[in-house]
């Protein structure tokens, strides 16, 4: 059977599984809809958290980005795992003990203020929507490449599936589908990685294969060969980065504390029975995430080696068919600058901007590109996102592996989309409607409101997936900066600083958020021509500025809280109480 | 509950453990993986430059271990101060 038929079968089977789980795990109360009744086993929650966390960006894009960034890819590897240490040690157990449904719940209660709750809701919605648009786009790309379905229809099918299990099952349905999705995605990630590791080095474990000797008789290690090959072609060595140390430091820190401040991740720890379970669950989540994150650098390095081997100096007419099929959907472009009929791969952009194609084809069948070519010797444009998806084809693996990768990419995108939709809908139905505008709403009506807001959120997310802003992909990375600068400090201080009060928390969140937003907006949208190390403050790029935003948040919150009214006694009692594991609440039905 | 001596001592034990683990967290990631990476790269480790290994492999393994160590030690501290949630449902 060919890869496309197999992909249809795999996608059909996995979607059937997800929907089956959704029907089995319907939610019947707000407690089940918001936090799965608080009865999820820590290992199951660890898997669900891992799937929730690992999005289309982790599965599809990350290894590809690392393969082009080399050492600089460290920012994602450390940033998106190290955050779990902070989450496990500084936030998860205490927020579980607090025992409510949402992140704004904690902020609203701890800072005894509806205004603080609403600021948290706004931050949450801004963060979650920027993030979710990227997921729906990922679904669309997988559908269009592997199933030949237009991106729009791909997004619609994805929306329909998420609708089934998020709206019916709420957190309960999402949790158990995420467990299944984790199994699908990790299997789909490891199988090609192990195959390729064996092909290149003879070592089955990719984590060790990355350091092993290449089987081509050169006696070089994978990284040694990659360094040498890249330097030959005029690139910097793979194991050395181009970013400045201070920027790598700032971006890593922003991603770490941003991770710890992401509402859809935090809320997963509300679903386990006890405080000690929240700690264990964080450990399992990080373990399950680390399996993918320690494989990714190997996948990235192998992909770059294979890519150069199969493409560089190859005649276009003889190059492998994957090159042409990705060229057909516009993610690869080739301009034969020296007219030798061969593809030359070197540093720099081959032409200005992203490729735009005319309807014509050249004599050899390649697509004509209308962008003005640049003066360097590089002839190939390659979209970084395709490396993981194209990897099995580049390495000529069997069709079922290619089909598996497609199913894995969909699992990663759908599980994250569902988790994000849930926090958006709960913050609307619970924090805005129930806690702010209609305080005597019955549980049944609140549940209906939660389902309706989930449905509306899915439609909005789908819209962004079909009609993306030009800058959606960039904005996703900034969701972390915003979370780092707004929610994380407020949560941390709420637990560790007894004297932190309403005025301090709100002014901290607003200053951190405003500073980060303005810095990003200035360099990305208002003056993009100044977006380089020379003009950045302290040499920190917009990607890393969230760490400074967080520092500003902490400083402002601390100063203001010491100048304003002290915290009331019942809130002090609340803080004392969440610091002690004993006496955990069942998440109550209102 | 304010002023409860047992709970205050428990909190101090918790914070001490947390700070030790966070110091290790910082050292392996920001220390070995970023600040000292160039110096460590002069050493070879199973085919890796040592600094590069910390940045893209080693630090992540240590993160996982840190969280499990935290869970295990906190369980002991919880029991010692009689604030464990084991009796809860």
């Amino acid at each position: 059977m060919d890869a496309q038929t197999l992909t249809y079968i795999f996608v059909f089977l996995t979607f059937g599984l997800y929907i089956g789980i959704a029907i089995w795990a319907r939610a019947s109360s707000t407690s089940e809809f918001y936090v799965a009744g608080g009865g999820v086993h820590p290992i199951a929650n660890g898997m669900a958290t891992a799937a929730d966390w690992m999005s289309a960006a982790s599965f599809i894009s990350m290894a590809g980005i690392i393969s082009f960034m080399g050492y600089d890819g460290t920012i994602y590897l450390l940033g998106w795992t190290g955050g779990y240490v902070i989450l496990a040690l500084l936030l998860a157990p205490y927020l579980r003990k607090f025992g409510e449904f949402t992140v704004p719940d904690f902020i609203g209660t701890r800072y005894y203020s509806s205004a603080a709750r609403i600021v948290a809701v706004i931050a949450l919605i801004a963060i979650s929507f920027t993030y979710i648009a990227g997921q729906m786009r990922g679904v669309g790309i997988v559908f269009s490449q592997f199933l030949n379905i237009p991106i729009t229809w791909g997004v619609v099918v994805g929306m329909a599936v998420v609708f089934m299990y998020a709206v019916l099952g709420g957190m309960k349905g999402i949790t158990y589908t995420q467990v299944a999705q984790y199994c699908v995605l990790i299997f789909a990630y490891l199988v090609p990685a192990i195959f390729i590791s064996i092909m290149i080095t003879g070592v089955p474990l990719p984590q060790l294969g990355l350091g092993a000797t290449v089987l081509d008789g050169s006696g070089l290690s994978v990284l040694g060969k990659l360094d040498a090959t890249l330097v030959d072609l005029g690139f910097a060595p793979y194991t050395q980065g181009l970013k400045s140390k201070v920027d790598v430091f700032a971006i890593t820190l922003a991603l770490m504390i941003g991770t710890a401040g992401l509402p859809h991740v935090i809320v997963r720890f509300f679903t386990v029975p006890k405080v000690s379970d929240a700690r264990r669950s964080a450990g399992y989540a990080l373990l399950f995430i680390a399996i993918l994150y320690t494989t990714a650098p190997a996948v990235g390095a192998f992909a770059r080696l294979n890519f150069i081997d199969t493409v560089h100096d190859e005649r276009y007419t003889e190059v492998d068919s994957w090159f042409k099929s990705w060229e057909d959907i516009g993610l690869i472009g080739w301009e034969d600058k020296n007219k030798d009929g061969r593809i030359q791969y070197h540093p720099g952009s081959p032409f200005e901007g992203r490729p735009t194609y005319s309807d014509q084809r050249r004599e050899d069948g390649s697509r004509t590109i209308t962008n003005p070519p640049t003066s360097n010797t590089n002839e190939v444009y390659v979209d970084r996102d395709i490396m993981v998806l194209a990897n099995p084809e580049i390495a000529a693996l069997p069709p079922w592996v290619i089909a598996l990768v497609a199913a894995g990419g969909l699992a990663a995108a759908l599980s994250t989309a569902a988790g994000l939709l849930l926090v958006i809908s709960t913050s609307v139905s619970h924090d805005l409607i129930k806690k702010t505008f209609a305080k005597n709403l019955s549980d049944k009506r609140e549940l209906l409101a939660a389902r309706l807001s989930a449905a509306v959120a899915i439609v909005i997310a789908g819209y962004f997936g079909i009609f993306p802003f030009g800058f959606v992909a960039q904005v996703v990375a900034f969701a972390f900066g915003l979370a780092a600068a707004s929610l994380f400090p407020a949560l941390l201080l709420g637990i560790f600083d007894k004297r932190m009060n309403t005025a301090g928390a709100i002014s901290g969140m607003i200053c951190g958020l405003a500073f980060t937003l303005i810095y990003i907006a200035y360099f990305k949208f208002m003056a993009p021509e100044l977006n380089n190390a020379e003009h950045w403050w302290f040499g920190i790029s917009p990607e890393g500025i969230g760490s400074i935003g967080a520092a500003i948040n902490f400083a402002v919150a601390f100063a203001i809280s010491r100048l304003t009214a002290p915290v009331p006694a019942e809130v002090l009692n609340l803080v004392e109480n969440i610091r002690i594991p004993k006496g955990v609440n069942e998440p109550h039905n209102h | 509950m304010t002023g409860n001596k047992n709970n205050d001592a428990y909190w101090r034990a918790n914070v001490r453990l947390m700070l030790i683990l966070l110091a290790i967290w910082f050292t392996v990631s920001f220390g070995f993986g970023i600040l000292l990476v160039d110096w460590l790269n002069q050493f070879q480790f199973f085919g890796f430059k040592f600094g590069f290994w910390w940045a893209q492999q080693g630090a992540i393994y240590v993160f996982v271990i840190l969280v499990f160590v935290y869970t295990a030690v906190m369980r002991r501290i919880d029991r010692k101060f009689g604030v464990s949630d084991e009796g809860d449902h």
Side-chain angles (χ1 to χ4, degrees):
Chain A
M1 266 191 284
D2 65 350
Q4 189 167 334
T5 316
L6 281 164
T7 308
Y8 269 109
I9 295 173
F10 279 27
V11 169
F12 190 77
L13 286 179
T14 51
F15 278 24
L17 175 67
Y18 306 151
I19 292 170
I21 292 173
I23 293 168
W24 167 71
R26 277 189 311 275
S28 55
S29 68
T30 49
S31 167
E32 286 191 344
F33 194 90
Y34 292 153
V35 293
V40 180
H41 189 275
I43 295 183
N45 190 49
M47 284 194 191
T49 309
D52 198 40
W53 169 240
M54 293 192 286
S55 59
S58 291
F59 188 95
I60 300 175
S61 310
M62 191 177 65
I65 292 172
I66 294 167
S67 78
F68 289 97
M69 289 174 79
Y71 167 77
D72 285 342
T74 300
I75 54 177
Y76 301 115
L77 293 167
L78 292 183
W80 288 341
T81 52
Y84 276 84
V85 178
I86 308 184
L87 192 59
L89 270 56
L90 301 182
L91 298 181
Y94 311 109
L95 295 178
R96 173 61 195 93
K97 178 64 190 297
F98 172 67
E100 282 282 349
F101 291 146
T102 68
V103 171
D105 250 345
F106 175 77
I107 295 198
T109 312
R110 167 62 181 83
Y111 296 117
Y112 43 99
S113 150
S114 294
R117 183 189 289 268
I118 288 171
V119 172
V121 170
I122 292 169
L124 180 149
I125 290 179
I127 293 163
S128 302
F129 265 120
T130 51
Y131 209 110
I132 203 170
Q135 307 308 316
M136 296 318 269
R137 194 69 188 163
V139 172
I141 290 177
V142 172
F143 269 103
S144 66
Q145 168 65 8
F146 291 95
L147 300 173
N148 267 326
I149 293 172
I151 288 188
T152 308
W153 283 107
V155 173
V156 171
V157 173
M159 279 163 59
V161 174
V162 175
F163 184 87
M164 284 288 287
Y165 64 78
V167 174
L168 272 184
M171 185 55 117
K172 199 174 162 200
I174 287 175
T175 300
Y176 294 105
T177 35
Q178 280 175 337
V179 171
Q181 283 161 336
Y182 176 76
C183 299
V184 171
L185 83 87
I186 199 69
F187 187 66
Y189 204 82
L190 291 181
V191 166
I194 290 170
F195 262 120
I196 295 171
S197 183
I198 292 175
M199 282 166 59
I200 294 185
T201 66
V203 179
L205 259 188
Q207 286 84 347
L208 298 178
L210 181 58
T213 309
V214 185
L215 289 177
D216 62 356
S218 64
L220 289 168
S221 69
V222 172
L223 291 167
K225 182 175 177 192
L226 200 47
D227 277 351
T229 313
L230 287 173
V231 170
D232 248 12
L233 295 176
F235 291 91
Y238 190 80
T239 52
Q240 264 161 34
L242 298 171
K243 288 184 189 294
S244 72
K245 229 175 240 315
V246 61
D247 200 24
V248 170
F249 192 102
I251 297 175
T252 306
L253 186 62
L255 293 180
M256 281 188 187
I257 59 183
T259 299
L262 283 181
H264 71 289
V265 176
I266 293 174
V267 79
R268 288 240 45 100
F269 295 96
F270 293 13
T271 66
V272 294
K274 291 186 294 189
V275 174
S276 53
D277 293 331
R279 295 184 195 133
R280 269 171 71 201
S281 188
Y284 284 115
L286 182 55
L287 174 67
F288 294 136
I289 291 165
I291 295 173
L292 190 143
Y293 273 65
T294 52
T295 307
V299 171
F302 296 150
R304 188 80 178 273
L305 262 187
N306 269 338
F307 178 81
I308 296 170
D309 268 357
T310 46
V311 167
H312 179 64
D313 241 359
E314 190 70 30
R315 281 190 178 285
Y316 179 83
T317 46
E318 286 158 21
V319 77
D320 290 351
S321 63
W322 61 265
F323 190 88
K324 293 169 184 169
S325 71
W326 288 98
E327 185 189 13
D328 283 341
I329 67 165
L331 296 177
I332 279 182
W334 176 57
E335 179 73 58
D336 192 10
K337 291 180 182 169
N338 60 359
K339 307 284 176 230
D340 64 353
R342 291 173 186 273
I343 302 161
Q344 266 92 25
Y345 177 57
H346 293 290
S349 314
F351 29 74
E352 286 162 27
R354 292 175 76 89
T356 46
Y357 304 88
S358 72
D359 296 335
Q360 317 265 302
R361 293 208 174 235
R362 305 190 190 99
E363 257 172 52
D364 55 16
S366 62
R367 297 181 74 182
T368 314
I369 290 162
T370 54
N371 307 47
T374 48
S375 59
N376 62 38
T377 50
N378 182 28
E379 302 184 343
V380 197
Y381 166 86
V382 50
D383 187 298
R384 295 166 174 202
D385 281 356
I386 72 173
M387 292 313 274
V388 166
L389 297 176
N391 215 5
E393 297 171 85
I394 297 176
L397 295 181
W400 65 267
V401 179
I402 297 166
L404 190 60
V405 170
L410 288 173
L414 291 177
S415 57
T416 306
L420 289 161
L421 284 168
L422 190 90
V423 294
I424 293 171
S425 69
T426 52
S427 67
V428 171
S429 67
H430 184 70
D431 292 303
L432 282 187
I433 299 177
K434 165 89 182 179
K435 291 285 174 116
T436 312
F437 295 120
K439 291 196 170 142
N440 38 24
L441 200 66
S442 73
D443 190 61
K444 218 170 157 191
R445 293 203 151 233
E446 190 186 341
L447 184 59
L448 180 67
R451 291 203 156 114
L452 286 177
S453 27
V456 172
I458 289 174
V459 173
I460 298 174
Y463 177 85
F464 285 131
I466 297 168
F467 305 103
F469 297 125
F471 49 83
V472 161
Q474 295 175 328
V475 172
V476 172
F478 300 131
F480 289 89
L482 299 179
S486 60
L487 295 178
F488 176 75
L491 293 170
L492 187 73
L493 292 170
I495 297 161
F496 286 86
D497 182 9
K498 282 191 192 168
R499 290 182 58 191
M500 186 48 56
N501 59 15
T502 320
I506 295 182
S507 46
M509 280 197 280
I510 291 177
C511 290
L513 196 60
F515 168 79
T516 310
L517 264 177
I518 291 169
Y519 192 89
I520 292 171
Y522 178 76
F523 282 114
K524 283 292 169 179
F525 308 121
M526 283 146 68
E529 70 283 357
L530 298 182
N531 190 12
N532 53 53
E534 227 176 285
H535 296 94
W536 296 335
W537 289 7
F538 315 111
I540 295 174
S541 62
E543 285 80 2
I545 202 64
S547 45
I548 304 292
I552 290 176
N553 185 334
F554 278 119
V556 170
F558 194 81
I560 300 278
S561 70
R562 295 314 188 258
L563 298 172
T564 45
V567 177
E570 70 267 21
V571 174
L572 280 180
N573 279 336
L574 170 81
V575 178
E576 295 272 345
N577 180 44
I578 60 173
R579 288 179 174 189
I580 303 295
K582 194 173 179 157
V584 76
N585 294 324
E586 290 242 22
H588 35 271
N589 292 316
H590 294 272
Chain B
M1 269 202 301
T2 318
N4 180 325
K5 274 200 180 119
N6 180 61
N7 288 1
D8 288 349
Y10 166 75
W11 185 246
R12 276 196 302 278
N14 175 12
V15 170
R16 190 181 320 122
L17 173 65
M18 213 180 69
L19 290 177
I20 294 169
L21 297 178
L22 285 178
I24 300 173
W25 164 81
F26 184 87
T27 308
V28 295
S29 53
F30 292 99
F32 295 167
I34 297 173
L35 298 174
L36 301 174
V37 68
D38 302 316
W39 183 78
L40 285 169
N41 272 344
Q42 62 183 305
F43 306 108
Q44 282 288 316
F45 181 75
F46 290 105
F48 290 89
K49 289 179 178 169
F50 200 37
F52 185 86
W53 181 82
W54 276 110
Q56 302 211 341
Q57 295 280 314
I60 302 175
Y61 301 134
V62 176
F63 291 160
V64 176
I65 295 167
L66 286 177
V67 178
F68 279 102
V69 167
Y70 175 72
T71 307
V73 178
M74 278 311 284
R75 181 182 294 255
R76 287 219 328 262
I77 296 180
D78 287 353
R79 280 193 202 134
K80 188 175 152 199
F81 288 91
V83 295
S84 164
D85 60 6
E86 278 162 344
D88 299 339
H89 29 252

